[in-house]
């Protein structure tokens, strides 16, 4: 899976993968849920990607400490993106 | 009752006449007649041969232990400074819990096996009906998966069955109860070393007393039933069809029950660490028993742990008590006493109080360690337990094949739980990946995504502050983008030319 693609999960939930980061060999995505017309909803998640039984899964990170550190990482990446202008 | 029926009834009860004159005298003179005698014999025979009701005792035991745990928790046990005492108490407490764990695990596996076998039956029926090759292949895969689980479960059931058979089934009611009472006594010993408030100590002591009382009453009842039965057999001139070993166990003098937790009621438990005077006349381990050093630190002034080797088996040569009433043992080849809290039996050593065991397949639960055990496990990968043990605080830790560092139990799931977890992840599976149909403003979307994340209740203040410090820039950026989008194309071109 890669950034700037739209993934469809179960129950037809579609997320735009805004950015990614790799921490301790694990891939995390910042994703925003999309409406049917591809416009973003106010629902975003930081997902952990893992592969099992030949399938990819995206599970929302809910563990407080991990979520905070990943949020900080994406925040820093976003800041850098703005500064690049 | 005619003589033919009398002998038929004897056969039914697996009884034989030992003394004919006594027998015929009893059946003719027994109050209520022969029928009454056989009714009584049947009732007592059933009582003394009934299976051990482990479930009943487990429930009762867990009920008492839960009460103890909640009382101690109120006292913030884990914030206290007397770590060693807490550790010893926790180890003892954990041992009691784990005695029953195989029974539960066996039950779990049996249920899982049953469920899988039912599913397999359904799949077989479906295979007969389905004609499409895709559906058939799907069913076949599911069939194979279930079959694999059945094989694993069967192996586990055999293993647990063996353990339950070895550790539980062979012991009689009285032995089981005595074991529980000894544990109860050990808990009392450890408890007196904890810095708990007087109120909590009193409360826990009362629970332990209730626990001891309950089990000792159970024991008395069993003893009485057996004595009644043996007396009646003797009176009726019938051969004793009861296991001699069981009889001997019954007749053993048991002092632990009455002299440990029961006596505490009479003692005033002080808020200080002053030990209540508890007399124990029988040690839990005997001369000749093989024991191992459990790796814990001594808190007395006589046990020298530096001279004990964790891997070395020691034979008990002498037993006794110190001046505080704690059990002490002299070990073969060492001429100094060792406290009971430093020792574990052969069984305890090789059946460490862990919920998982060597060779078992496990999966990463996704929960990172909160303690010193740093893991680097992958979600979805199967690992095999190489070694199961406890750390110095009594936490379960596991060494996994191919992983250097030990892993805490909190990071692991059994195969069964993993499959359950996977089923719960149905909605997290990536079904499709596509490219966006229209161009996306990356910065705007990034800003919106982060805004949503930062609004989550678990996000800390520092992140919120950091975000708000750059949000203005983000807003400006978004405004600029929006303005760009609203300016007519000609104007944009004009502006571009004039720049």
């Amino acid at each position: 899976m890669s950034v700037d693609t739209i993934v469809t999960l179960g129950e037809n939930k579609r997320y735009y993968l805004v950015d990614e980061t790799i921490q301790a060999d694990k891939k995390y995505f910042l994703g925003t849920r999309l409406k049917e017309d591809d416009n973003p909803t106010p629902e975003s998640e930081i997902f952990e990607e893992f592969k099992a039984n030949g399938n990819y899964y995206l599970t929302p990170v809910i563990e407080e400490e991990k979520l905070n550190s990943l949020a900080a990482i994406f925040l820093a990446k976003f800041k850098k993106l703005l500064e690049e202008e | 009752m005619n003589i033919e029926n009398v002998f038929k009834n004897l056969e039914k009860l697996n009884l034989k006449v030992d003394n004919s004159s006594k027998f015929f005298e009893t059946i003719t003179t027994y109050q209520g007649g022969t029928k009454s005698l056989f009714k009584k014999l049947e009732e007592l025979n059933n009582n003394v041969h009934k299976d051990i009701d482990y479930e009943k005792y487990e429930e009762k035991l867990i009920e008492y232990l839960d009460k103890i745990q909640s009382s101690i928790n109120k006292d913030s046990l884990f914030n206290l400074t007397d770590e060693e005492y807490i550790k010893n108490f926790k180890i003892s407490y954990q041992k009691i819990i784990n005695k029953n764990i195989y029974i539960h695990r066996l039950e779990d596996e049996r249920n899982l096996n049953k469920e899988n076998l039912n599913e397999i039956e359904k799949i077989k029926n479906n295979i007969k009906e389905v004609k499409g090759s895709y559906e058939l292949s799907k069913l076949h895969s599911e069939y194979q998966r279930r079959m694999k689980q059945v094989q694993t479960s069967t192996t586990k059931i055999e293993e647990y069955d063996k353990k339950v058979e070895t550790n539980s089934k062979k012991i009689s009611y009285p032995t089981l109860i005595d074991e529980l009472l000894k544990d109860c006594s050990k808990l009392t010993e450890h408890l007196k070393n904890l810095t708990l408030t007087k109120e909590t100590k009193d409360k826990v002591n009362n629970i332990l007393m209730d626990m001891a009382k309950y089990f000792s009453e159970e024991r008395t009842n069993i003893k009485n039933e057996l004595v009644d039965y043996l007396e009646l057999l003797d009176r009726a001139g019938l051969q004793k069809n009861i296991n001699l070993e069981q009889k001997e166990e019954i007749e053993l003098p048991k002092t632990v029950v009455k002299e440990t937790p029961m006596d505490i009621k009479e003692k005033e438990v002080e808020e200080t660490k002053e030990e209540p005077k508890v007399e124990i006349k029988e040690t839990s381990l005997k001369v000749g028993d093989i024991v191992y050093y459990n790796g814990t630190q001594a808190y007395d002034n006589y046990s020298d742990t530096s001279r004990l080797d964790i891997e070395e088996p020691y034979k008990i040569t002498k037993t006794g008590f110190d001046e505080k009433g704690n059990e002490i043992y002299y070990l073969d080849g060492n001429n100094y006493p060792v406290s009971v809290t430093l020792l574990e039996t052969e069984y305890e050593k090789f059946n460490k109080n862990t919920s998982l065991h060597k060779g078992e397949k496990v999966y990463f639960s996704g929960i990172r360690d909160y303690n010193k055990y740093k893991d680097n496990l992958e979600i979805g990968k199967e690992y095999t337990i190489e070694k199961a043990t406890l750390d110095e605080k009594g936490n379960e830790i596991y060494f996994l094949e191919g992983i250097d560092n030990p892993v805490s139990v909190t990071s692991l799931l059994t195969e069964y739980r993993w499959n359950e977890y996977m089923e719960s992840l149905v909605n997290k599976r990536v079904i499709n990946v596509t490219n966006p149909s229209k161009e996306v403003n990356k910065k705007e979307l990034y800003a919106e995504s982060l805004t949503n994340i930062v609004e989550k209740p678990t996000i800390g203040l520092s992140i919120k502050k950091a975000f708000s410090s750059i949000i203005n820039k983000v807003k400006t950026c978004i405004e600029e983008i929006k303005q760009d989008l609203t300016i007519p194309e000609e104007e944009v071109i004009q502006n571009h030319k004039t720049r």
Side-chain angles (χ1 to χ4, degrees):
Chain A
M1 254 159 323
S2 56
V3 171
D4 293 327
T5 57
I6 297 170
V7 291
T8 309
L9 306 182
E11 291 178 340
N12 205 28
K13 283 185 179 174
R14 296 161 67 249
Y15 288 87
Y16 188 97
L17 301 183
V18 180
D19 202 0
E20 67 177 26
T21 179
I22 295 173
Q23 304 295 323
D25 293 332
K26 288 176 186 69
K27 208 179 211 182
Y28 299 92
F29 288 100
L30 171 65
T32 284
R33 196 169 166 194
L34 300 177
K35 291 180 201 161
E36 275 184 17
D37 60 2
D38 279 4
N39 282 323
T41 66
E43 194 184 314
S44 300
E45 299 289 353
I46 293 177
F47 292 108
E48 180 172 340
E49 179 199 72
F50 78 93
K51 200 181 169 185
N53 306 335
N55 292 309
Y56 278 99
Y57 293 84
L58 287 180
T59 55
V61 175
I62 47 169
E63 198 189 324
E64 196 172 328
E65 200 183 325
K66 201 161 140 188
L67 182 65
N68 275 277
S69 65
L70 287 164
I73 289 166
F74 284 119
L75 204 60
K77 286 188 84 181
F78 179 58
K79 199 177 169 194
K80 203 177 164 195
L81 182 77
L82 295 176
E83 284 163 359
E84 277 169 5
E85 278 284 287
Chain B
M1 193 181 282
N2 63 36
I3 196 71
E4 201 180 326
N5 283 340
V6 164
F7 280 98
K8 264 187 189 167
N9 277 329
L10 279 179
E11 202 181 329
K12 209 169 90 185
L13 294 172
N14 197 24
L15 291 169
K16 282 177 186 162
V17 177
D18 192 36
N19 184 326
S20 305
S21 59
K22 251 180 163 183
F23 176 66
F24 286 108
E25 192 193 329
T26 310
I27 59 170
T28 48
T29 58
Y30 193 79
Q31 198 181 3
T34 319
K35 266 190 182 172
S36 253
L37 172 67
F38 275 103
K39 203 177 163 192
K40 191 71 191 164
L41 276 171
E42 192 179 356
E43 183 193 318
L44 292 172
N45 188 51
N46 287 342
N47 281 345
V48 297
H49 286 104
K50 70 186 168 196
D51 289 333
I52 297 178
D53 189 354
Y54 288 98
E55 216 166 279
K56 176 179 151 192
Y57 289 120
E58 272 176 47
E59 272 174 19
K60 207 69 199 170
L61 186 66
I62 304 279
E63 187 187 311
Y64 284 121
L65 294 178
D66 279 350
K67 279 185 192 169
I68 293 172
Q69 184 78 72
S70 60
S71 302
I72 290 171
N73 283 348
K74 277 183 195 155
D75 248 19
S76 304
L77 175 74
F78 302 107
N79 295 327
L80 297 173
T81 51
D82 40 4
E83 286 293 331
E84 284 311 310
Y85 304 142
I86 294 164
K87 185 171 68 191
N88 289 325
F89 181 83
K90 279 171 78 180
I91 288 172
S92 260
Y93 174 85
Q94 196 62 40
K95 277 179 184 170
I96 302 176
I97 302 266
N98 287 326
K99 269 185 186 174
N100 304 301
I101 212 158
Y102 289 117
I103 298 169
H104 290 300
R105 289 171 74 86
L106 180 64
E107 201 180 326
D108 274 356
E109 282 302 325
R110 280 195 175 131
N111 288 340
L112 175 66
N113 220 14
K114 202 175 159 189
E115 186 193 313
N116 277 323
L117 287 169
N118 286 340
E119 283 302 314
I120 284 170
E121 215 37 56
K122 277 187 206 164
I123 294 167
K124 275 182 183 171
N125 290 333
N126 287 341
I127 284 175
K128 282 177 199 164
E129 287 166 16
V130 168
K131 284 178 185 161
S133 60
Y134 173 71
E135 282 300 312
L136 265 178
S137 138
K138 240 170 88 177
L139 285 171
H140 187 64
S141 303
E142 179 60 13
Y143 176 80
Q144 281 182 328
R145 188 177 79 83
R146 294 280 181 180
M147 276 307 279
K148 204 178 161 196
Q149 281 185 1
V150 168
Q151 281 165 2
T152 316
S153 285
T154 310
T155 316
K156 279 187 185 173
I157 287 170
E158 280 168 12
E159 181 201 332
Y160 296 147
D161 228 351
K162 212 180 276 173
K163 280 177 178 163
V164 171
E165 179 73 24
T166 318
N167 305 323
S168 314
K169 296 283 180 196
K170 277 185 185 167
I171 62 170
S172 63
Y173 256 133
T175 316
L176 174 75
I177 294 170
D178 284 347
E179 285 296 315
L180 291 172
L181 285 165
K182 277 178 192 171
D183 288 330
C184 193
S185 157
K186 272 188 188 170
L187 272 185
T188 313
E189 274 184 59
H190 291 312
L191 183 74
K192 65 193 176 188
N193 290 315
L194 295 179
T195 314
L196 299 170
T197 59
K198 186 177 178 300
E199 192 192 348
T200 305
K201 259 193 178 180
D202 286 348
K203 205 171 170 187
V204 176
N205 270 327
N206 284 335
I207 298 167
L208 282 169
M209 272 190 304
D210 284 348
M211 185 170 157
K213 197 178 163 198
Y214 170 80
F215 286 116
S216 57
E217 274 174 7
E218 280 293 305
R219 197 178 190 289
T220 309
N221 290 341
I222 293 158
K223 185 181 171 180
N224 289 344
E225 281 170 355
L226 187 59
V227 168
D228 287 351
Y229 183 59
L230 292 173
E231 276 176 5
L232 187 59
L233 290 182
D234 187 55
R235 186 182 148 197
L238 292 165
Q239 275 181 20
K240 293 176 180 67
N241 65 347
I242 193 92
N243 187 331
L244 194 64
E245 193 189 334
Q246 195 178 345
K247 178 178 168 284
E248 280 169 353
E249 276 171 6
I250 288 289
E251 287 171 354
L252 277 174
K254 298 288 174 192
T255 52
V256 181
V257 182
K258 289 173 188 168
E259 291 162 9
T260 49
M262 298 293 282
D263 276 0
I264 290 171
K265 197 173 186 176
E266 296 158 22
K267 319 287 172 192
E268 187 63 25
V269 184
E270 295 301 328
E271 201 168 333
T272 62
K273 281 192 196 171
E274 197 181 311
E275 280 77 4
K277 303 279 179 220
V278 180
E279 285 179 28
I280 303 169
K281 287 176 183 167
E282 194 178 288
T283 52
S284 52
L285 299 165
K286 302 275 171 285
V287 171
D289 280 357
I290 300 293
V291 289
Y292 289 81
Y293 168 45
N294 63 17
T296 57
Q297 293 301 307
Y299 58 83
D300 51 55
N301 53 12
Y302 51 81
S303 297
D304 183 1
T305 53
S306 66
R307 296 163 77 178
L308 293 169
D309 185 343
I310 287 178
E311 297 305 322
E312 193 71 33
Y314 298 96
K315 190 185 264 186
I316 293 174
T317 53
K318 201 176 155 192
T319 68
F321 300 93
D322 64 12
E323 72 282 1
K324 290 176 182 171
N326 298 319
E327 292 182 30
I328 52 166
Y329 296 95
Y330 286 83
L331 309 175
D332 195 19
N334 296 294
N335 53 4
Y336 54 92
V338 176
S339 162
V340 68
T341 55
L342 301 178
L343 302 175
E344 59 187 355
T345 63
E346 207 164 5
Y347 172 77
E348 286 164 346
K349 182 174 176 63
F350 293 105
N351 291 276
K352 277 287 179 205
N353 305 311
T354 52
S355 49
L356 302 166
H357 299 89
K358 189 185 171 180
E360 223 165 310
K361 304 279 181 216
V362 286
Y363 293 81
F364 178 40
S365 64
I367 299 171
R368 303 279 162 210
D369 266 329
Y370 51 83
N371 53 28
K372 63 182 179 178
Y373 308 110
K374 298 295 168 206
D375 57 73
N376 192 20
L377 306 180
E378 276 178 53
I379 292 185
K381 193 173 168 185
E382 186 182 272
Y383 295 94
T384 306
I385 294 175
E386 208 166 53
K387 189 181 170 191
T389 189
L390 298 174
D391 69 4
E392 71 280 5
K393 288 184 176 171
N395 300 315
E396 291 183 25
I397 52 167
Y398 298 94
F399 289 84
L400 308 178
E401 271 177 24
I403 302 291
D404 295 335
N405 299 319
V407 179
S408 158
V409 68
T410 51
S411 295
L412 300 175
L413 290 175
T414 61
E415 199 172 9
Y416 180 54
R417 298 287 173 221
W418 169 253
N419 288 331
E420 270 187 348
Y421 173 62
M422 287 306 290
E423 277 170 30
S424 74
L425 283 185
V426 163
N427 294 333
K428 311 285 185 300
R429 190 164 72 84
V430 177
I431 297 166
N432 193 17
V433 183
T434 55
N435 288 317
S437 57
K438 59 183 180 186
E439 207 176 321
V440 172
N441 186 310
K442 188 64 184 280
K443 279 179 202 160
E444 191 178 346
L445 189 58
Y446 210 137
E448 281 180 26
S449 305
L450 281 177
T451 309
N452 299 338
I453 295 290
V454 168
E455 278 171 2
K456 285 185 187 287
T458 47
I459 292 291
L461 262 180
S462 57
I463 306 273
K464 287 185 199 289
K465 277 182 187 169
F467 184 70
S468 66
S469 74
I470 59 168
I471 196 66
N472 289 335
K473 198 173 176 184
V474 176
K475 278 178 183 166
T476 316
C477 169
I478 293 169
E479 282 308 310
E480 275 176 15
I481 293 159
K482 281 181 179 168
Q483 269 178 18
D484 278 354
L485 289 172
T486 52
I487 299 167
E489 200 179 339
E490 302 81 45
E491 204 177 314
V492 175
I493 295 165
Q494 192 58 40
N495 285 345
H496 183 71
K497 280 180 184 171
T498 54
R499 267 179 204 170

